[in-house]
Amino acid sequence: MTGNLRVVLKRQPEGVPVPEDFALEVAEAGDQGVLCRTRCISLDPYIRGRLSGRHLTGVISPGEAMSSELILEVAESAHGFTAGAVVRAHGPWQHHVRLDAQSLQPVPNDIAPASLFLGVLGMPGLTAYAGIKTILRPKSDETLVVSAAAGPVGATVAQLGRIAGSRVVGIAGSVDKCRWLVDVAELDEVINYRRENVREALDRTCPKGIDMYFDNVGGDVLAAVMERLAHGARVALCGLMSQYNSDSPLSGPNPGLIIRARACVQGLVVYDHEALRNEMQTALVEEIQAGRLAFREDVSRGLESAPDAFCRLMRGENFGKALVDLES
């Protein structure tokens, strides 16, 4: 275990995290469970809520290891797992770790790269699939709007809506992201919220109103969409990127807008939909292999890059599923 390091939270971030909020330190693998070598770390916006103690998965306090979903390789055969097997589990950001055998989920060896099980075939994919299947239920004659549409959740939602025959409008924050959404993800319209007035752009792209909205950001974008809901609209509230870095809650949209549109607004928590995981993976693998579902990964190399990569994510500078590769 020489050189076994981990990333810890050094201090409570104020606003957008900076690399100085984190530190590398020597780690112990532990003496219970299956010894694993970390191959890939998932970086996700919800982690910022854990640093502030505002996420349902619990708090990460200063001095504690950063943690998230990981792709790991079993280092020593034990508890029914064979050395070399690839698994998915939640664990600390460190090179080697022992984890409870019951927490290890085998990763199919016929689908590559394995990192897909942290992205489009993992929690982001399950979030998107559950939102489409249980809340939005897209139809061919309707318009779907998706915020953070170039992210791993948003891009999957948008493309599943397009596959279902809906007209899809994506909202993203850079020229490159908007170009990818049109040229690769094949969305009908895109809005660059950094260059356009979102309300005016929604009037232009959704002249008949918005039938479905998948929200990843909250804040003013959510309010702008709610002002334009069509009768019978469905809204999936999933992420709050606009306020993860703030200690002050933002004001919400006028409930009268929901009443006027006779809209159904529902919060989406991915942990409620674990029963859909196998169905999701089967369905999305089919779409990927058929060339109908595109994805992107934003990969940083080496454990020491994790703090900066996480800070980039929270500044909105990533393009695709944010990952840290420990293999290279």
Side-chain angles (χ1 to χ4, degrees), residues 25-44:
E25 67 176 29
V26 176
E28 296 292 334
D31 54 10
Q32 300 291 324
V34 180
L35 180 63
C36 297
R37 177 174 63 87
T38 303
R39 290 174 49 169
C40 193
I41 296 171
S42 176
L43 304 181
D44 302 282

Side-chain angles (χ1 to χ4, degrees), residues 120-121 129 156 159-164 279-295:
V120 68
L121 299 180
Y129 188 81
T156 307
Q159 292 178 88
L160 290 177
R162 185 252 298 154
I163 291 168
E279 178 184 323
M280 174 273 295
Q281 290 179 351
T282 299
L284 298 195
V285 166
E286 179 179 337
E287 298 297 342
I288 291 170
Q289 293 177 340
R292 291 187 292 263
L293 181 63
F295 62 89

Side-chain angles (χ1 to χ4, degrees), residues 57 77 140 164 213 215 225 256 276 289 312:
T57 57
S77 298
S140 60
Y213 178 51
D215 183 46
V225 170
L276 289 174
Q289 293 177 340
R312 285 181 56 246

Side-chain angles (χ1 to χ4, degrees), residues 120-201:
V120 68
L121 299 180
M123 183 174 66
L126 180 57
T127 304
Y129 188 81
I132 284 285
K133 186 178 180 70
T134 67
I135 300 175
L136 299 182
R137 304 180 304 280
K139 300 176 183 177
S140 60
D141 59 345
E142 295 184 325
T143 294
L144 164 65
V145 174
V146 183
S147 59
V153 175
T156 307
V157 170
Q159 292 178 88
L160 290 177
R162 185 252 298 154
I163 291 168
S166 296
R167 181 172 174 273
V168 184
V169 178
I171 303 174
S174 77
V175 172
D176 287 343
K177 291 177 181 180
C178 288
R179 184 180 299 115
W180 184 85
L181 287 170
V182 172
D183 294 344
V184 180
E186 301 181 345
L187 272 59
D188 296 281
E189 301 272 3
V190 293
I191 297 170
N192 185 336
Y193 71 85
R194 296 186 190 275
R195 292 193 169 191
E196 302 179 76
N197 179 292
V198 173
R199 284 173 167 80
E200 293 177 358

Side-chain angles (χ1 to χ4, degrees), residues 298-321:
D298 188 315
V299 183
S300 300
R301 310 289 177 182
L303 184 67
E304 67 281 357
S305 73
D308 184 64
F310 178 66
C311 295
R312 285 181 56 246
L313 171 68
M314 297 314 301
R315 294 195 301 267
E317 296 174 2
N318 65 298
F319 187 175
K321 171 59 188 171

Side-chain angles (χ1 to χ4, degrees), residues 45-282:
Y46 81 87
I47 297 171
R48 181 62 181 87
R50 297 192 66 198
L51 305 186
S52 302
R54 297 199 304 261
H55 197 266
L56 54 85
T57 57
V59 62
I60 299 175
S61 300
E64 295 181 344
M66 295 292 294
S67 63
S68 63
E69 281 201 311
L70 312 170
I71 296 295
L72 311 107
E73 181 178 322
V74 175
E76 295 177 355
S77 298
H79 301 285
F81 287 90
T82 303
V86 179
V87 296
R88 174 182 57 87
H90 191 280
W93 296 1
Q94 65 185 61
H95 287 110
H96 290 84
V97 62
R98 288 188 183 273
L99 296 172
D100 189 300
Q102 293 184 340
S103 72
L104 305 181
Q105 300 298 318
V107 171
N109 58 17
D110 59 341
I111 299 173
S115 57
L116 290 180
F117 290 90
L118 298 178
V120 68
L121 299 180
M123 183 174 66
L126 180 57
T127 304
Y129 188 81
I132 284 285
K133 186 178 180 70
T134 67
I135 300 175
L136 299 182
R137 304 180 304 280
K139 300 176 183 177
S140 60
D141 59 345
E142 295 184 325
T143 294
L144 164 65
V145 174
V146 183
S147 59
V153 175
T156 307
V157 170
Q159 292 178 88
L160 290 177
R162 185 252 298 154
I163 291 168
S166 296
R167 181 172 174 273
V168 184
V169 178
I171 303 174
S174 77
V175 172
D176 287 343
K177 291 177 181 180
C178 288
R179 184 180 299 115
W180 184 85
L181 287 170
V182 172
D183 294 344
V184 180
E186 301 181 345
L187 272 59
D188 296 281
E189 301 272 3
V190 293
I191 297 170
N192 185 336
Y193 71 85
R194 296 186 190 275
R195 292 193 169 191
E196 302 179 76
N197 179 292
V198 173
R199 284 173 167 80
E200 293 177 358
L202 287 172
D203 287 339
R204 170 177 56 83
T205 58
C206 307
K208 296 182 180 180
I210 297 166
D211 300 291
M212 298 165 286
Y213 178 51
F214 193 98
D215 183 46
N216 287 302
V217 300
D220 192 54
V221 173
L222 172 60
V225 170
M226 299 292 272
E227 293 165 4
R228 291 156 178 81
L229 294 180
H231 281 199
R234 288 89 66 201
V235 178
L237 302 179
C238 180
L240 293 169
M241 192 66 179
S242 65
Q243 66 185 63
Y244 284 145
N245 294 316
S246 174
D247 292 328
S248 301
L250 302 179
S251 58
N254 180 355
L257 301 173
I258 301 171
I259 297 170
R260 182 183 68 187
R262 289 79 160 172
C264 175
V265 179
Q266 184 172 334
L268 174 61
V269 177
V270 66
Y271 310 113
D272 296 338
H273 300 282
E274 189 62 32
L276 289 174
R277 184 178 291 271
N278 290 338
E279 178 184 323
M280 174 273 295
Q281 290 179 351
T282 299

